[in-house]
Amino acid sequence: MKNNKKSGSIDKKMITLAIKDSFKKLSPKVQINNLVMFLVYVCAILTSALFVLSLFGIKDAPSGYIFGIAVILWFTVLFANFAEAIAEGRGKAQADSLRAAKKDVLAHKIQSLDKKDKQESISSALLKKGDLVYINVGEQVPADGEVVEGAASVDESAITGESAPVIREAGGDRSAVTGGTTVISDWLVIEVTSEVGESFLDKMIAMVEGSARKKTPNEIALQIFLLALTVIFILVTASLYSFSVFSSKQAGIVNPISITSLIALLVCLAPTTIGALLSSIGIAGMSRLNQANVLAMSGRAIEAAGDVDILMLDKTGTITLGNRQASEFMPVDGHSIEELADAAQLSSLPDETPEGRSIVVLAKEKFNIRERKLNELKMEFVPFSALTRMSGVNIKDSEIRKGAADSMKEYVQNFGEIYSEECDLAVQKIAKLGGTPLVVSKDHIIIGVIYLKDIVKSGVKEKFADMRKMGIKTIMITGDNPLTAAAIAAEAGVDDFLAEATPEGKLTMIRDFQAKGHLVAMTGDGTNDAPALAQADVAVAMNTGTQAAKEAGNMVDLDSSPTKLIEIVRIGKQLLMTRGSLTTFSIANDLAKYFAIIPALFIGIYPELTALNIMRLHSAQSAVFAAIIYNALVIIALIPLALKGVKYREVPAGKLLSQNLLVYGLGGIITPFIFVKLIDMLIVAIGLA
């Protein structure tokens, strides 16, 4: 989806569609889903009915006043609909780009692996779970599946947005293929793993479009709280009406409080701002996750990511680069470091592995030993073998070898040479540092050791420090021995590590943390990760991983980047921060609007309330107009913040709460005083009051 970043932005077409959807959402069936805004919807209908009655002489208030209030209330409902529609529009744009990759193609179904030449061409829409399909070079993968035979390069750009092809092969943790991708080399036989309409792409489209979005527990809890506040304000407003009738009779005056004004008061005091934006905040949070190329299987998972306090991270590819790099030459037994560097580079010139390339570069950088041309040296390359666990070159009458310490020890001893104690000490030193020793020999004599270091990614230590500030504990998971794991954990700055990790060990650790009340997040890609992924609160499966891993997780990272877990946690926290901040702002707004309307409405009955009319609004009608206009416009003003989210900062939760209360709480109190007064002055200036 990265190739459709425009889909995450807002353009004129999206705004036009959102305006149309705003009117479509005026259906009572849609409005009832948001009870706070449903109240505004009912109030808009009531004031419209009061306006119609006023035309027939049944006047609650001047017809123009009732009409103005009704129009503003309808706009308030439309603005709330627009906020939700614009958030949904971004998801629909992403869904449209995914639908372009989803199309029926001809699939070559086979009966068994030994009868690949007997193929039946059928539509991909007719494939069923368990069917075997042969896919040749240049053909599109017709359905989600597991590779059961063959290996090929697959272009997944239609799904992930990444142009670089990936290898998919039978066995291992890179056997899953996604419908809509294209085989660009060789061939594959896959076993279909999903029924029609239930593919990974179908789920993606449903999630980003919002049709599969369900309200999260926190969202439901907040809606119940807002509903409770609304019920309280309904009772308060009803009481105020009864009180005004009684008080006006006692004072011997006509009741100055109209039903229209009380309806406007109710709408202003109800938490309509957060009620209008609540849905769009949740949709936008999921949209941000989709833009990060992560598919959440539920909104609950995004919320859980915001509350996570334990991060379990794979070492390889997450904390370290994944490719060991040569960092030092350590000569032994009187041999010079230059001789060791020269021999190490010569043995690595034909070696195309990342480790081999790094040895060549290190020799060049440290000793200015330039790369030699292989054809001029007439070298015979001895490739690495799992049996010998070494590689090297033969140059004329000279032999250079490099390999694992035990293999090299056996190699030189077979030629009657000594494996020295100094070499053994160098090997032990490297192992204690968390590195990998490569012993180098020339003409069957050990000349030194290459220190291969598992390079910790730049910036991860700072990221983990930020996580620590937020109260999140980081745990590195690795198959390394405890000594090596401890060295890398110390360098990376993680809080703890699990060495020699097994599926049972991961599962036990997660359960132990959860039993203590923690929320745990982890990543995984293999079938052996499935039990732990199923247990974790936030489980991010790699798109390149097995079907079992993807089914066990509640999120799928389309980029298959283990570091994405940190970004997911940030997005989750930003979602919770945004919801909390706008809720604070909304409730603070209600408090300020109370001082704007209540004194102005009741001054006619109780002149003493003039002291509370600190805003000095022109009249009761102008006060109501100004407050309800502000109430509608603030929804539109806050839509960009709801969609973008409150700025994320890595600070402790207590400090973050105090900052947000200061900014959004105090801001929510001050803002209405300023803008309601300005609107009141404008109303008076243009002669509407």
Side-chain angles (χ1 to χ4, degrees):
M1 289 183 291
K2 282 182 179 175
N3 54 341
N4 286 288
K5 284 193 176 183
K6 189 178 179 182
S7 65
S9 61
I10 299 173
D11 54 25
K12 290 181 180 179
K13 182 180 178 183
M14 196 179 294
I15 291 173
T16 302
L17 290 173
I19 292 172
K20 290 180 181 178
D21 286 343
S22 300
F23 286 93
K24 291 179 182 177
K25 288 176 178 287
L26 289 175
S27 164
K29 290 182 180 179
V30 176
Q31 293 298 312
I32 195 67
N33 293 324
N34 187 334
L35 293 175
V36 175
M37 293 313 300
F38 182 69
L39 171 69
V40 183
Y41 179 73
V42 171
C43 288
I45 293 173
L46 286 175
T47 50
S48 299
L50 288 172
F51 170 68
V52 172
L53 290 173
S54 72
L55 297 179
F56 293 95
I58 308 174
K59 291 191 175 183
D60 169 67
S63 297
Y65 174 70
I66 300 173
F67 177 76
I69 295 297
V71 169
I72 296 167
L73 289 180
W74 280 117
F75 270 108
T76 304
V77 176
L78 287 171
F79 289 164
N81 291 348
F82 179 79
E84 185 175 58
I86 200 74
E88 289 174 347
R90 301 202 306 179
K92 287 175 181 177
Q94 291 173 326
D96 288 341
S97 68
L98 290 171
R99 281 196 183 90
K102 185 178 183 294
K103 55 186 178 183
D104 288 341
V105 295
L106 274 182
H108 308 301
K109 182 180 174 183
I110 61 175
Q111 295 302 316
S112 62
L113 294 176
D114 57 351
K115 295 180 180 179
K116 289 191 287 291
D117 56 330
K118 295 182 179 179
Q119 301 173 4
E120 178 188 358
S121 295
I122 64 171
S123 169
S124 57
L126 300 176
L127 290 173
K128 297 179 181 178
K129 189 174 181 178
D131 285 348
L132 293 176
V133 179
Y134 179 86
I135 311 167
N136 212 337
V137 60
E139 294 180 345
Q140 191 176 96
V141 177
D144 291 358
E146 289 276 352
V147 179
V148 293
E149 188 174 327
S153 293
V154 179
D155 177 8
E156 297 187 339
S157 59
I159 307 298
T160 67
E162 297 295 338
S163 57
V166 294
I167 301 297
R168 293 289 174 262
E169 57 189 344
D173 293 338
R174 295 183 177 271
S175 59
V177 290
T178 305
T181 57
T182 305
V183 174
I184 57 175
S185 78
D186 305 290
W187 55 270
L188 296 172
V189 175
I190 68 166
E191 180 180 345
V192 177
T193 55
S194 64
E195 299 289 352
V196 175
E198 298 177 1
S199 71
F200 184 64
L201 200 55
D202 289 317
K203 292 176 183 177
M204 285 175 64
I205 292 170
M207 289 304 298
V208 301
E209 197 172 33
S211 59
R213 180 182 178 272
K214 295 181 180 179
K215 291 178 181 177
T216 62
N218 282 353
E219 198 172 344
I220 292 170
L222 181 56
Q223 281 201 326
I224 292 171
F225 171 68
L226 296 179
L227 180 61
L229 282 180
T230 303
V231 171
I232 290 171
F233 286 126
I234 290 173
L235 295 175
V236 168
T237 305
S239 300
L240 285 174
Y241 179 72
S242 301
F243 185 71
S244 68
V245 171
F246 174 77
S247 299
S248 59
K249 284 182 179 179
Q250 291 290 99
I253 60 174
V254 178
N255 181 22
I257 311 299
S258 65
I259 294 176
T260 303
S261 294
L262 286 173
I263 289 174
L265 171 65
L266 173 60
V267 171
C268 285
L269 294 185
T272 51
T273 305
I274 185 61
L277 297 172
L278 187 59
S279 182
S280 61
I281 292 169
I283 295 169
M286 186 168 285
S287 178
R288 284 194 295 275
L289 201 63
N290 292 331
Q291 288 172 38
N293 255 16
V294 177
L295 172 66
M297 300 305 180
S298 70
R300 183 193 293 263
I302 306 175
E303 262 187 9
D307 289 326
V308 156
D309 57 356
I310 300 288
L311 282 183
M312 295 179 64
L313 304 154
D314 282 332
K315 182 202 76 173
T316 305
T318 306
I319 295 170
T320 65
L321 292 174
N323 298 319
R324 297 168 299 175
Q325 304 287 304
S327 70
E328 188 180 349
F329 296 118
M330 303 172 66
V332 298
D333 302 333
H335 294 276
S336 70
I337 193 169
E338 289 82 1
E339 180 187 5
L340 172 59
D342 182 66
Q345 190 188 68
L346 282 170
S347 67
S348 302
L349 284 176
D351 187 351
E352 294 298 330
T353 64
E355 292 89 346
R357 294 290 87 206
S358 72
I359 292 170
V360 173
V361 171
L362 182 65
K364 183 166 62 176
E365 289 178 348
K366 291 254 184 173
F367 304 102
N368 200 31
I369 303 174
R370 316 307 295 179
E371 294 186 34
R372 277 66 63 95
K373 294 181 179 179
L374 302 184
N375 57 350
E376 292 179 3
L377 294 171
K378 297 181 180 178
M379 299 169 61
E380 179 190 349
F381 179 50
V382 179
F384 176 83
S385 164
L387 185 63
T388 63
R389 297 176 65 206
M390 68 174 73
S391 63
V393 292
N394 297 329
I395 305 176
K396 297 180 181 178
D397 297 327
S398 183
E399 288 186 9
I400 301 174
R401 297 289 186 272
K402 68 177 190 294
D406 53 349
S407 299
M408 292 300 294
K409 182 177 182 179
E410 184 181 349
Y411 169 73
V412 297
Q413 287 177 346
N414 285 340
F415 287 93
E417 300 296 340
I418 299 171
Y419 184 81
S420 70
E421 185 179 344
E422 188 179 350
C423 180
D424 202 33
L425 290 172
V427 168
Q428 290 178 29
K429 179 182 177 182
I430 292 169
K432 286 179 181 178
L433 291 171
T436 302
L438 271 187
V439 176
V440 180
S441 73
K442 185 175 182 180
D443 296 329
H444 318 126
I445 297 173
I446 301 296
I447 62 173
V449 185
I450 305 169
Y451 175 12
L452 291 181
K453 188 177 182 182
D454 213 347
I455 305 296
V456 173
K457 287 184 176 180
S458 175
V460 295
K461 192 166 188 176
E462 290 75 15
K463 284 183 181 179
F464 293 148
D466 289 339
M467 295 289 110
R468 198 173 295 110
K469 288 178 185 176
M470 295 162 54
I472 298 175
K473 182 177 182 178
T474 52
I475 300 173
M476 181 183 78
I477 305 172
T478 177
D480 290 338
N481 62 68
L483 197 63
T484 301
I488 296 171
E491 185 179 354
V494 294
D495 299 308
D496 201 355
F497 64 88
L498 176 64
E500 297 175 343
T502 61
E504 294 79 14
K506 296 176 191 176
L507 187 60
T508 300
M509 178 174 269
I510 292 172
R511 285 176 174 169
D512 287 345
F513 279 122
Q514 289 174 332
K516 295 173 184 175
H518 297 283
L519 284 181
V520 183
M522 75 161 287
T523 60
D525 60 359
T527 301
N528 62 344
D529 290 323
L533 287 170
Q535 183 67 34
D537 299 286
V538 177
V540 185
M542 301 295 101
N543 189 38
T544 56
T546 61
Q547 191 68 24
K550 288 197 277 189
E551 288 177 358
N554 50 27
M555 292 188 186
V556 177
D557 176 19
L558 303 181
D559 295 331
S560 300
S561 169
T563 55
K564 193 69 68 67
L565 185 56
I566 296 173
E567 189 175 351
I568 290 168
V569 170
R570 292 186 180 201
I571 292 171
K573 286 192 174 295
Q574 187 184 37
L575 170 65
L576 296 181
M577 283 169 51
T578 304
R579 188 183 293 157
S581 298
L582 291 184
T583 300
T584 303
F585 184 87
S586 179
I587 294 173
N589 257 231
D590 296 338
L591 180 64
K593 284 180 284 186
Y594 170 87
F595 283 99
I597 300 178
I598 297 292
L601 283 178
F602 285 88
I603 283 175
I605 302 175
Y606 296 106
E608 297 86 355
L609 288 176
T610 304
L612 292 178
N613 188 19
I614 57 178
M615 298 177 71
R616 295 293 184 264
L617 301 179
H618 180 265
S619 66
Q621 286 191 1
S622 70
V624 171
F625 259 130
I628 206 161
I629 289 171
Y630 168 81
N631 195 64
L633 293 179
V634 75
I635 295 172
I636 287 293
L638 290 175
I639 287 175
L641 184 61
L643 297 181
K644 188 179 179 181
V646 172
K647 187 177 180 181
Y648 174 85
R649 294 183 300 275
E650 291 92 349
V651 294
K655 187 176 181 181
L656 193 63
L657 177 62
S658 61
Q659 287 178 353
N660 285 344
L661 284 175
L662 180 65
V663 174
Y664 295 96
L666 188 60
I669 292 173
I670 294 172
T671 305
F673 280 99
I674 297 171
F675 287 97
V676 169
K677 179 61 177 177
L678 290 174
I679 296 170
D680 179 74
M681 292 168 63
L682 181 63
I683 289 171
V684 174
I686 61 178
L688 292 179

